[in-house]
Amino acid sequence: MKLKPPSPGDLGERLRETEVWKSIFRPGSIFRKGYKDTSRDRALATMNNVLYHLHPVKVKRHGLKLTYTFCLGGLSFFLFVLLTITGIFLMFFYRPTADIGGAQAFQDMQLIRTSVFFGDLVRNLHRWGAHLMVFSVTLHMARVFYTGAYKPPREFNWVVGVILLFLTLGLSFTGYLLPWDQLAIWAVTVGTSLAGYSPLIAKQANFLLLGGVVVGPETLLRWYTLHVIALPFVLVIFLAVHFWRIRKDGGISGPL
Amino acid sequence: MAKEDTPLDQEVFDSTLEAELAKGIDRRVAEGRARSAAVRAFRAANPEEAAKHEAAGGAPAAAAAAGGNGGAAAAPAAAAAAAAPAGAVATGGAPVAVAASVTTPVREAPLPTGNLPTPKKGADDKHRLLALVPPEGIQRVDREQGDRVNVWPHLLIEEFVAMFILLAALTVFSTFINAPLRELANPNLTPNPSKAPWYFLGLQELLRYFHPMVAGITIPTFILIGLMAVPYVDRNPSNKPGDRKIAITMFTILFMFGGILTIIGSFFRGPGYNWVWPWAQGVFFEL
């Protein structure tokens, strides 16, 4: 008897019938055998996926209109994910130390640009993505204002959004110091000098921000910790509340 | 008990149906009324048989309460109820009008005992718990059904496309344009001009006009609190742009104000943070 070698199509078909495959892809997954483009499977596709089920099964049709949301909220979230991924990559090659004569941070920056595989590209993505995120979050706020999406029952979600905007600014600003070049420390010096004018607690506020009286190695370590773990941690919590409240407050606002 | 099993007086049924249809009432309604009159007429004529039939059929709780508790209690009421239609039919009048005015027997549910009923042998190993919940204990969700579409594929496709376009654009941009990296930080050498990151340049610009405490503390605090207070200050329930002229105008003015200050701080300020024309003296701005 002559055995015919199975074609790649057959193999794929048989793979999709295995118990392992079926255990990974839940009903409704487009990768599961027997997915049909029916209302039921469309609903299951959303419900049975850990990422998609941030969304409800159905949304108001007008919410699909590009000129209603301009996708700004979703893109801001996507930028946050992109910044997390590129940021983790950069953390492998960066040490937040800037002792006199050493300035390890700056040397690491140069090495990322010159010696690390794709280091320059990832660093560029991180930097430009960060600026873009500040921009997109701001525009998202404007969009929400113009569509009146902060009105009851969504008042509190607007407040959460304002907190997220300021956390985004905080993340961007703390990251600005990390390259430890002239641009970084002087921008931060200018930015933080304003805290020195706060009433009553001027000195304390400045000391808390800088870990000293001027921008120095302590500031770098402090802002690094804020940038890579403290602020993202807080931001993710507020992000979760933000997304959860969208659902609880009845989905997308409108139509106008 | 199946509907068809209930014994009824066919003669009353036919005559009532005819009378109802003659009045121009919908056939289904007329049949229902005729049926109800016929069943009552039958019960009035044969009280014992009706009672027996209901007991044998394991009648539903409320209806059976009257019948099951003993024909004695139910029979007089049923008799009274049936007497009228029967008479009406005899005279050829409008039977339903009379039948409707007759009071039906009060339905009584068995008193709650507080004991859980014991399941029958061989019944499924499932039970149902019911509880009475005060209405204020339920979160009411006013959700209009509206015109809705499935998230998959409609919304998700849109999000994926937006995401990939952004990723592609950012990757191309990052491939060709390097983020700045100047020389090593030197606390003793202040660059001229020294500028904050672009999103703070609006505030830095304000420093030119106000005391640092106003520009650096009061105004940012005001912006933060003011933004958070927006939904509690603007109580206008409409989201139609036409109804929100004041809100939109104010927001636009403030937003533009911030944007213009940022642009001035970014592109129109040079050495010594003095005014420059970017097309003449060049741009002193770094991201």
Side-chain angles (χ1 to χ4, degrees), chain A residues 30 35 37 39 41-43 45-46 52 55-66 68 71 75 78-79 82 103 106 109-110 113 120-121 123-125 127-129 131-132 134-135 138-139 141-142 145-148 150-152 155-156 158-159 162-163 165-166 169 172-173 176 179-183 185-188 190-191 194-195 197-199 250 253-256, chain B residues 139 141 143-145 147-156 158-160 162-164 166-167 170-171 173-191 194-200 203-204 207 211-213 215-217 220 223-224 226-232 234-241 244 247-249 251-253 255-256 286-287:
Chain A
I30 54 169
Y35 175 85
D37 195 20
S39 205
D41 274 6
R42 285 176 169 196
T46 313
Y52 305 163
H55 287 301
V57 166
K58 288 189 167 198
V59 289
K60 295 175 195 163
R61 185 188 294 276
H62 83 92
L64 295 180
K65 218 173 123 197
L66 194 63
Y68 189 76
C71 290
L75 288 180
F78 170 65
L79 282 168
L82 182 76
F106 184 72
M109 286 303 296
Q110 287 179 317
R113 297 199 61 176
D120 209 11
L121 175 67
R123 193 226 158 192
N124 289 344
L125 277 173
R127 178 94 168 199
W128 299 135
H131 286 311
L132 197 58
V134 173
F135 201 61
T138 312
L139 290 182
M141 184 191 70
F145 186 91
Y146 285 121
T147 54
Y150 56 85
K151 308 211 163 188
E155 307 103 306
F156 183 66
W158 166 273
V159 176
V162 173
I163 293 170
L165 169 66
F166 279 78
L169 289 177
S172 182
F173 193 39
Y176 211 83
W180 203 248
D181 60 348
Q182 277 290 69
L183 191 60
I185 69 157
W186 288 103
V188 169
V190 171
L194 294 173
Y197 292 99
S198 42
S253 64
L256 290 182
Chain B
Q139 187 183 357
V141 181
R143 195 172 101 154
E144 72 289 5
Q145 203 44 49
D147 187 11
R148 285 171 189 270
V149 290
N150 277 98
V151 160
W152 170 259
H154 303 291
L155 180 62
L156 284 173
E158 201 173 297
E159 285 180 346
F160 283 142
M163 189 180 95
F164 283 122
L166 179 75
L167 184 61
L170 201 59
T171 308
F173 190 83
S174 301
T175 306
F176 293 107
I177 297 173
N178 277 333
L181 186 67
R182 298 279 158 265
E183 60 277 19
L184 174 66
N186 183 355
N188 300 317
L189 183 68
T190 312
S194 345
K195 288 187 178 181
W198 65 269
Y199 34 84
F200 291 148
L203 289 177
Q204 200 176 347
L207 270 176
H211 184 268
M213 199 182 125
I217 308 295
I223 293 172
L224 176 65
L227 277 176
M228 284 185 178
V230 160
Y232 306 100
D234 174 18
R235 299 309 290 170
N236 171 7
S238 171
N239 66 354
K240 305 266 180 295
R244 311 174 54 218
I248 285 179
T249 311
F251 184 84
T252 308
I253 288 173
F255 200 76
M256 286 294 158
E286 276 179 303
L287 276 169

Side-chain angles (χ1 to χ4, degrees), chain A:
Chain A
M1 198 176 94
K2 238 171 94 180
L3 280 175
K4 218 172 66 184
S7 73
D10 285 346
L11 274 180
E13 195 77 344
R14 264 150 64 182
L15 181 65
R16 299 206 300 159
E17 283 166 12
T18 58
E19 288 303 316
V20 175
W21 190 273
K22 282 195 278 185
S23 74
I24 296 170
F25 297 103
R26 304 200 66 206
S29 167
I30 54 169
F31 302 113
R32 196 178 163 107
K33 192 176 159 66
Y35 175 85
K36 288 194 291 293
D37 195 20
T38 59
S39 205
R40 183 175 176 275
D41 274 6
R42 285 176 169 196
L44 287 173
T46 313
M47 273 193 286
N48 281 348
N49 185 297
V50 66
L51 285 178
Y52 305 163
H53 96 282
L54 276 172
H55 287 301
V57 166
K58 288 189 167 198
V59 289
K60 295 175 195 163
R61 185 188 294 276
H62 83 92
L64 295 180
K65 218 173 123 197
L66 194 63
T67 50
Y68 189 76
T69 62
F70 295 97
C71 290
L72 285 166
L75 288 180
S76 302
F77 176 59
F78 170 65
L79 282 168
F80 177 72
V81 173
L82 182 76
L83 289 168
T84 308
I85 294 168
T86 52
I88 289 170
F89 178 88
L90 293 172
M91 278 175 78
F92 283 116
F93 307 105
Y94 176 84
R95 281 162 286 185
T97 50
D99 296 325
I100 308 300
Q104 196 68 59
F106 184 72
Q107 286 171 24
D108 287 345
M109 286 303 296
Q110 287 179 317
L111 286 178
I112 286 172
R113 297 199 61 176
T114 54
S115 308
V116 176
F117 210 68
F118 283 122
D120 209 11
L121 175 67
V122 175
R123 193 226 158 192
N124 289 344
L125 277 173
H126 194 77
R127 178 94 168 199
W128 299 135
H131 286 311
L132 197 58
M133 184 174 163
V134 173
F135 201 61
S136 69
V137 171
T138 312
L139 290 182
H140 176 54
M141 184 191 70
R143 189 289 287 179
V144 168
F145 186 91
Y146 285 121
T147 54
Y150 56 85
K151 308 211 163 188
R154 298 182 177 82
E155 307 103 306
F156 183 66
N157 218 10
W158 166 273
V159 176
V160 174
V162 173
I163 293 170
L164 285 171
L165 169 66
F166 279 78
L167 284 170
T168 307
L169 289 177
L171 270 164
S172 182
F173 193 39
T174 50
Y176 211 83
L177 182 65
L178 304 189
W180 203 248
D181 60 348
Q182 277 290 69
L183 191 60
I185 69 157
W186 288 103
V188 169
T189 303
V190 171
T192 52
S193 65
L194 294 173
Y197 292 99
S198 42
L200 305 174
I201 52 156
K203 273 188 185 156
Q204 289 85 340
N206 229 351
F207 197 87
L208 189 72
L209 272 174
L210 300 182
V213 285
V214 291
V215 178
E218 298 79 12
T219 321
L220 182 60
L221 180 59
R222 187 163 293 207
W223 284 38
Y224 176 75
T225 312
L226 283 172
H227 184 73
V228 300
I229 187 75
L231 290 174
F233 177 72
V234 178
L235 187 122
V236 165
I237 292 172
F238 278 99
L239 210 54
V241 176
H242 200 57
F243 291 167
W244 178 76
R245 278 302 291 254
I246 297 172
R247 296 278 301 267
K248 293 293 155 183
D249 293 340
I252 192 162
S253 64
L256 290 182

